[in-house]
Amino acid sequence: MSDKHRDDVYQNLDQVAGNGLLNRRHLLGLGLAGAASLAAQPLLAAEAPTIVTPSWSKVPGRDLSGYGYPSTFAQGLQRLTGAPNPLLPGGGASRSPLHLMQGSITPNGLHFERHHAGIPEVDPAQHRLVIHGLVRQPLSFSYEDLLAYPQQSRVYFLECSGNSGANTAAQASDGTAASLHGLVSAAQWTGVPLSTLLAEAGVEDGASWIAATGVDGASMGRSIPLHKALDDVFIALYQNGEPIRPEQGYPMRLFVPGWEGNVSVKWLSQIKLTSGPANFRDETSRYTDFLADGKALQFTYPMGVKSVITSPSGQMLLRRQGVHEVTGLAWSGSGAITRVEVSADSGRTWADALLAEERQALALTRFRLPWLWEGAPAVLQSRATDSAGNVQPTRSAVLAQYDAANRYHFNGIQSWSVSSQGAIANVYA
Ligand code: CO
């Protein structure tokens, strides 16, 4: 491409913030200044077209299968799994490969995992869900019983309270979007509203909390205020249309929309109505937040408003100068995402990103913005706002609230530096 041609193309681009951020209308197909002009830039492809008949077009392909699986060429798309810790058998987490996915739904095989004692092999025919405590009529449900109830389907994100905790460390680690932020995923969850089952059991006066426990080797338990339990909590039986995976709690898990993932108790077997929190191990020794003043907060449930640019992101490389799409995910435990801004100059100037049309509350929202990179160093950031008016804070603002040891509920702005060679890295800006 001639320099003259390049200059002509660039002159038609509407730069709206520092360091090359372009107007989101370029993505909306608005005539000459729209997506077509970006795609038509001779920055991407320069070869004359040739038509070849590939070998696989000359023979019949493979047979049908009972359950599908990814292309052999796409098998690099994997969860990021850590090494097993012999001191904590079955403890640990795997992370969703956020930088390798698109859209806003996580395939079931790539949903993040967090276990405290591994994945139990639960036989649904032997499994029971018991509702007891401060109820008029204790009830016991089989898996088959629950399948007979009216069900609801909703798209929700799920995020571990410890997600992004690596960015509380003093030094910025050389992580990817997956290693730093991959303890968040989203699915369409289907199941039975807990309010239906509690109405059947009859909530006694004096009940103000529920205590939920699972049948994993850790007997994971968490307490949830009754008002939330009666609001939007449900017993999830299906995930993206199929029975929930063993690592998500098969045959049933509690699902608590918008709240830290740990309270959505997997392999759910008991719901006990109580007059106060049960103070389980995982809400006293763990999942409490150490504050800057030496105190600790218990029962901090909603996940904060947050966003992360998934491309370009840590350890990626920009292989050419020109227009790139900056894209990522935003979510909030307090409502829907109403705005995502992107900066390419370390937060000095911001431009509004284009948000995906489906912007359900408590789900992941995809955002995009075109960016003209001409080889100068840059720092990319995103900042989300939710329907409750919460704005994603800076890293330093989050850190100021907590003790240096706290790793939970980190929702600070992520900064990705871009070197003049196009290398992307996690930085604190
Ligand atoms: Co919390």
Side-chain angles (χ1 to χ4, degrees):
M1 172 176 60
S2 71
D3 289 349
K4 170 75 170 65
H5 188 173
R6 180 182 296 241
D7 290 345
D8 287 350
V9 169
Y10 287 178
Q11 262 171 17
N12 285 327
L13 298 176
D14 179 14
Q15 298 204 26
V16 291
N19 246 355
L21 287 175
L22 304 179
N23 196 315
R24 56 184 166 172
R25 71 187 169 81
H26 285 294
L27 297 175
L28 292 171
L30 302 177
L32 281 179
S37 70
L38 290 189
Q41 283 181 70
L43 300 169
L44 294 174
E47 284 179 40
T50 57
I51 295 171
V52 296
T53 303
S55 58
W56 46 83
S57 180
K58 298 171 182 170
V59 292
R62 69 168 165 81
D63 282 331
L64 312 166
S65 56
Y67 196 95
Y69 46 88
S71 162
T72 53
F73 298 100
Q75 287 179 0
L77 186 60
Q78 299 275 320
R79 286 188 284 229
L80 188 65
T81 55
N85 180 348
L87 298 177
L88 293 167
S94 69
R95 290 163 164 80
S96 287
L98 301 181
H99 56 304
L100 303 176
M101 299 191 294
Q102 266 292 354
S104 54
I105 294 287
T106 311
N108 291 342
L110 297 175
H111 194 289
F112 85 85
E113 305 168 273
R114 172 74 178 103
H115 313 307
H116 295 71
I119 304 164
E121 188 85 12
V122 180
D123 175 359
Q126 299 177 51
H127 183 79
R128 310 295 290 190
L129 171 62
V130 173
I131 296 180
H132 62 128
L134 295 172
V135 292
R136 280 190 286 283
Q137 176 63 56
L139 297 171
S140 174
F141 300 90
S142 70
Y143 181 55
E144 291 292 325
D145 291 338
L146 285 180
L147 290 175
Y149 279 80
Q151 301 189 37
Q152 62 165 42
S153 294
R154 299 272 191 283
V155 174
Y156 289 123
F157 78 81
L158 193 69
E159 184 181 21
C160 178
S161 179
N163 194 26
S164 316
N167 274 350
T168 64
Q171 299 294 321
S173 56
D174 181 25
T176 63
S179 70
L180 295 169
H181 306 291
L183 295 176
V184 66
S185 301
Q188 185 203 52
W189 300 94
T190 299
V192 180
L194 182 55
S195 58
T196 303
L197 304 181
L198 293 182
E200 193 172 326
V203 176
E204 293 270 28
D205 290 346
S208 55
W209 288 71
I210 68 167
T213 49
V215 286
D216 58 334
S219 296
M220 252 295 307
R222 287 300 305 262
S223 307
I224 296 160
L226 183 62
H227 66 83
K228 177 70 170 177
L230 291 171
D231 178 15
D232 57 0
V233 174
F234 60 103
I235 314 295
L237 302 167
Y238 292 86
Q239 173 187 1
N240 291 330
E242 65 179 357
I244 62 174
R245 293 284 173 95
E247 63 264 37
Q248 298 305 328
Y250 181 84
M252 60 188 68
R253 80 179 303 169
L254 198 65
F255 201 98
V256 186
W259 286 16
E260 59 190 15
N262 183 250
V263 301
S264 287
V265 173
K266 295 183 283 192
W267 315 291
L268 179 69
S269 67
Q270 286 187 55
I271 293 175
K272 184 176 184 181
L273 280 85
T274 58
S275 59
N279 289 305
F280 288 110
R281 172 183 175 277
D282 282 286
E283 53 199 18
T284 51
S285 75
R286 301 288 165 83
Y287 299 98
T288 62
D289 312 336
F290 304 117
L291 300 180
D293 65 3
K295 295 178 178 171
L297 282 178
Q298 269 183 289
F299 310 118
T300 55
Y301 294 122
M303 296 309 292
V305 62
K306 189 165 173 180
S307 66
V308 60
I309 294 170
T310 55
S311 181
S313 61
Q315 298 183 15
M316 285 184 175
L317 183 66
L318 299 179
R319 297 184 184 280
R320 57 169 176 80
Q321 294 182 21
V323 176
H324 293 263
E325 184 177 83
V326 174
T327 186
L329 295 165
W331 63 98
S332 169
S334 299
I337 292 299
T338 55
R339 184 184 197 191
V340 178
E341 300 156 281
V342 172
S343 174
D345 56 11
S346 202
R348 279 184 287 281
T349 60
W350 297 87
D352 278 295
L354 184 70
L355 303 185
E357 279 167 20
E358 72 289 352
R359 261 178 268 163
Q360 292 124 310
L362 314 182
L364 297 182
T365 294
R366 171 69 55 179
F367 63 88
R368 305 173 189 282
L369 195 67
W371 173 49
L372 175 62
W373 181 63
E374 297 183 278
V379 174
L380 294 170
Q381 299 177 327
S382 62
R383 179 171 68 189
T385 301
D386 70 21
S387 53
N390 301 302
V391 179
Q392 185 178 4
T394 62
R395 175 177 177 272
S396 54
V398 178
L399 294 187
Q401 297 175 52
Y402 294 109
D403 182 86
N406 184 62
R407 298 286 177 270
Y408 297 119
H409 289 279
F410 180 85
N411 67 328
I413 289 172
Q414 168 66 44
S415 303
W416 302 118
S417 69
V418 184
S419 76
S420 55
Q421 283 76 43
I424 318 291
N426 178 34
V427 291
Y428 296 159

